[in-house]
Amino acid sequence: MKEFTGKTSILWDFDGVILDSMEIREEGFRTVLASFPDSQIETLLSFHRKNGGLSRYVKFEYFLEQIIGGKKNEEKVQQWAEEFSKIMRKSLTSKDRLVKDVIGFIKKNKELYHMHIVSGSDGNELRFLCDQLEISENFESINGSPTPKIELVRILMEEKGYKPEETCLIGDSINDFEASSSNNIQFFGYNNLDLKAKGFRYINSFK
């Protein structure tokens, strides 16, 4: 693809880019927080949709401290996150949810580029899902939260010695753009027309 001319390394977001998981993740939040009023859950889901690249830990903290007005409680956030992860491990292992165009491109070009996953999803859960979906072999590393994506990219760039001008990140949220710009690498939006409407570089299809 002409977009990747001069690139040697491609960093991939996971949810919404490699795996069609957004609906399942929303249901996960609803299930974990089912004891709270629907209006509060919908407020969280609105925050979740606008900040797809943020980790569930940040989102549960936001729910606890900003939506229901609770005090900081790392144990409660961890409990919710673990419940959420159990649901995801049961619900996101179907290969039918893989975005076929993207997976086809990755498998076809994995020898041409250094490919890595940098995601807001829990890192352990992410590696479990990639193993179950049988796609792990396509990536040199698979990393996620609780380390923020900005830090994941920075650490990866430093450890691998990748040149910023030869590296890009593909994602579907403004948080992915922020992780890219903070590390001086090129960003391509995908599967989120709001990003295209805002003028970000955008990939319509990997066919």
Side-chain angles (χ1 to χ4, degrees):
M1 290 177 63
K2 65 181 186 300
E3 287 89 349
F4 303 137
T5 300
K7 297 294 186 285
T8 61
S9 307
I10 302 176
L11 314 185
W12 298 87
D13 178 40
F14 185 72
D15 294 293
V17 175
I18 292 174
L19 192 71
D20 180 12
S21 56
M22 304 310 287
E23 179 183 349
I24 297 296
R25 293 205 182 274
E26 288 194 11
E27 285 304 312
F29 282 116
R30 288 193 176 97
T31 300
V32 171
L33 302 173
S35 62
F36 294 91
D38 288 344
S39 59
Q40 292 179 335
I41 297 173
E42 288 305 315
T43 300
L44 174 67
L45 291 178
S46 178
F47 179 77
H48 163 68
R49 293 173 191 130
K50 292 176 181 176
N51 297 277
L54 292 182
S55 77
R56 69 199 57 177
Y57 302 95
V58 173
K59 292 168 184 176
F60 282 127
E61 285 172 0
Y62 181 83
F63 181 80
L64 176 64
E65 297 174 28
Q66 303 299 321
I67 296 177
I68 67 173
K71 295 181 179 179
K72 186 178 182 65
N73 188 329
E74 293 181 2
E75 288 186 7
K76 173 56 70 174
V77 168
Q78 184 65 33
Q79 177 190 332
W80 285 339
E82 288 175 0
E83 291 176 13
F84 186 89
S85 188
K86 289 178 182 178
I87 297 168
M88 296 304 105
R89 286 172 182 252
K90 290 180 180 178
S91 304
L92 288 177
T93 56
S94 171
K95 293 180 182 179
D96 291 339
R97 289 195 167 274
L98 289 169
V99 181
K100 292 180 176 59
D101 291 351
V102 172
I103 287 297
F105 174 87
I106 289 171
K107 290 182 176 180
K108 183 178 179 180
N109 294 280
K110 64 180 180 180
E111 303 300 330
L112 297 179
Y113 305 98
H114 299 289
M115 295 200 191
H116 303 264
I117 292 178
V118 286
S119 173
S121 294
D122 178 82
N124 292 328
E125 173 193 305
L126 189 63
R127 287 182 284 274
F128 169 83
L129 291 177
C130 287
D131 284 345
Q132 294 297 305
L133 295 165
E134 298 183 327
I135 62 172
S136 298
E137 65 180 14
N138 299 294
F139 305 97
E140 295 182 26
S141 70
I142 300 169
N143 289 298
S145 62
T147 304
K149 187 173 295 189
I150 288 176
E151 285 298 299
L152 289 176
V153 174
R154 182 187 64 77
I155 293 168
L156 179 63
M157 296 290 289
E158 289 181 357
E159 289 183 347
K160 296 294 184 179
Y162 293 155
K163 297 178 180 178
E165 65 272 17
E166 296 179 358
T167 306
C168 65
L169 190 154
I170 301 167
D172 66 342
S173 75
I174 191 66
N175 309 105
D176 295 318
F177 167 73
E178 291 169 351
S180 301
S181 61
S182 294
N183 288 281
N184 299 309
I185 64 175
Q186 191 170 35
F187 170 73
F188 291 103
Y190 178 73
N191 198 27
N192 183 343
L193 292 176
D194 286 343
L195 295 175
K196 185 176 183 179
K198 291 177 180 177
F200 292 107
R201 294 183 184 89
Y202 195 82
I203 295 174
N204 291 297
S205 174
F206 282 90
K207 289 183 180 179

